[in-house]
Amino acid sequence: MNRTDVHGTLREMWETRPARPRDDRQVAGVASAIARRYDLDPVLVRIGFVAAAFTGIGAALYIAGWIALPETPEDPAAPAHRPRPVLVVGLAVAAAVSIGFLFGDRGGVVVPALAVLALLFLLHRSRGDRVPRPVGPVADAPTVATPGPSLVKEDVPAPTPPAWDPLGAAPFAWDLPEPGPAQPPARPERPRRFPVTAVTLGLALLAGSATAVLLLLMGALVASNVPLVLGVGLGVIGAGLVVGAFLRSGRGLIPIALLLSALTWAAVAAPLDRWEAGGFGDLNATPTTLAQLQPVYQRSAGDITLDLRQLPLSGTGQVPTTATLGAGDLTVLVPADTDVKLNGSAGLGDVSLGGQKVSGPGAKLDVEDLGADNARSGQELVLTLSTGAGDVEVRRG
């Protein structure tokens, strides 16, 4: 494939871009338009947008499609369609998060964006010749003229008058059916679909339970393995969504997959083992001697504030301490000239030391700072600080 082929394909993609339908849409009809253009199930395209949302570009791609794809002309006879307010609000929130990823400290969205564009390019190369599905109602089939009556005369017996015309006064209407009670139109039988949603949920529950029992038998069923159990169930639901896309079923799995994805992500970002011990409430400590400095400070929920500015650090070596928090802010105050080595992490939050800052989720900052004098002097504070949901801040003063 040379440069000319690539340019021609991109131009063809733009010139044959589909129109957003009005009858089969959840928000603006972008997924339905792409599905009809390339003869795909709209559920499969919507799953692709949801998956792209977890990389930070899904909402931005949908909004771009909303702008780039025209809308089909409105049919006055068709009922007006309004986007669902909940989905529009969710799209706005996802777009705000996408902007944060694009312009934040950890905006690694270039590779996902290039991957999506490459997938669209390959999709057009393989299925670009598909005829787009009709958006409006299908026109009636043309009427085929039938030959006229035969000119050959045959001996045909005289017709018998029907029961409703015993005198034979209206022979022109004898071909009408006998009057009787109107029969209701027969209901078309709906094709039975495979119960993808119910079967997938059952398999996900069985897989998650089997994983938990296996971990229990191995003696490894602890809070830190909750993301593993959730991930197994999420994997089964993801497989069910793929199967349902081909069988045109299983749409009820989409909200469950979104909820389970959020729970799994939260369990990974803020491990539950940080909630197992330490109690609740704020913890404020101001040790004035090295003997008063505890090796570990821990809370399940609350704020931890350690004021280490009065510690005598005129000797040599390292002075370590650890602070672990389930949910809340963790703040450590250190002298202006003290050497500090920080190993900080925050599942959902920021980690900062002086002018250095890393934002979450999954923020980590491992740094060594020599203080205002920028020279090694006295003992070095080694701080291991972590919080599940909150900010970690080391401040000099």
Side-chain angles (χ1 to χ4, degrees):
M1 186 189 309
N2 54 33
R3 184 176 179 180
T4 304
D5 294 336
V6 174
H7 183 269
T9 302
L10 294 177
R11 181 176 179 179
E12 182 182 335
M13 289 174 63
W14 176 256
E15 292 178 349
T16 62
R17 66 190 187 277
R20 294 181 286 111
R22 295 177 178 269
D23 56 338
D24 182 19
R25 59 167 63 178
Q26 297 299 322
V27 180
V30 177
S32 296
I34 297 175
R36 293 186 180 190
R37 171 62 181 87
Y38 297 108
D39 195 19
L40 299 171
D41 191 334
V43 177
L44 191 61
V45 181
R46 290 173 184 135
I47 293 173
F49 275 112
V50 172
F54 286 98
T55 66
I57 63 172
L61 288 175
Y62 194 92
I63 293 175
W66 195 340
I67 297 172
L69 302 182
E71 191 170 22
T72 56
E74 187 173 2
D75 183 5
H81 178 85
R82 295 290 183 269
R84 298 180 182 179
V86 176
L87 296 178
V88 174
V89 172
L91 181 63
V93 173
V97 175
S98 299
I99 293 175
F101 272 95
L102 288 171
F103 301 101
D105 297 334
R106 307 176 70 211
V109 298
V110 177
V111 174
L114 292 178
V116 171
L117 292 177
L119 288 175
L120 287 175
F121 181 84
L122 295 176
L123 178 63
H124 187 83
R125 294 280 296 187
S126 61
R127 304 175 72 92
D129 56 345
R130 301 296 179 98
V131 179
R133 300 181 186 178
V135 175
V138 181
D140 293 333
T143 304
V144 180
T146 57
S150 174
L151 299 179
V152 180
K153 295 183 178 181
E154 298 179 358
D155 294 333
V156 180
T160 304
W164 58 269
D165 187 18
L167 300 179
F172 59 87
W174 287 356
D175 57 343
L176 295 178
E178 293 285 345
Q183 298 294 330
R187 280 189 173 185
E189 293 187 2
R190 297 181 60 182
R192 295 187 61 185
R193 293 184 178 182
F194 185 76
V196 175
T197 301
V199 172
T200 302
L201 290 179
L203 292 177
L205 183 60
L206 289 176
S209 302
T211 304
V213 171
L214 182 61
L215 292 174
L216 180 62
L217 294 177
M218 296 172 58
L221 185 59
V222 294
S224 59
N225 285 327
V226 170
L228 175 60
V229 178
L230 294 176
V232 170
L234 184 61
V236 176
I237 292 179
L241 284 172
V242 174
V243 174
F246 290 98
L247 299 179
R248 298 185 181 275
S249 181
R251 298 189 179 188
L253 294 174
I254 295 178
I256 300 174
L258 293 176
L259 177 61
L260 195 58
S261 299
L263 292 176
T264 305
W265 176 68
V268 173
L272 298 179
D273 53 357
R274 296 179 182 174
W275 299 72
E276 293 180 344
F280 296 85
D282 296 341
L283 172 62
N284 299 296
T286 307
T288 57
T289 64
L290 296 180
Q292 294 178 354
L293 180 65
Q294 300 294 322
V296 177
Y297 296 91
Q298 190 171 11
R299 276 291 185 272
S300 296
D303 294 336
I304 296 180
T305 302
L306 298 181
D307 189 350
L308 307 181
R309 293 175 294 182
Q310 301 181 32
L311 284 178
L313 301 172
S314 57
T316 58
Q318 295 181 333
V319 178
T321 188
T322 300
T324 303
L325 185 59
D329 296 333
L330 203 163
T331 305
V332 179
L333 306 176
V334 297
D337 298 330
T338 300
D339 300 342
V340 176
K341 183 177 181 181
L342 172 63
N343 298 314
S345 63
L348 301 172
D350 303 332
V351 181
S352 61
L353 169 58
Q356 305 179 72
K357 181 179 179 180
V358 178
S359 300
K364 290 185 179 182
L365 180 60
D366 297 332
V367 66
E368 189 172 6
D369 189 86
L370 300 181
D373 57 0
N374 199 25
R376 294 192 176 276
S377 58
Q379 293 173 290
E380 182 182 42
L381 277 175
V382 179
L383 305 176
T384 303
L385 312 176
S386 63
T387 180
D391 297 333
V392 174
E393 181 182 10
V394 178
R395 220 169 40 228
R396 294 184 180 274

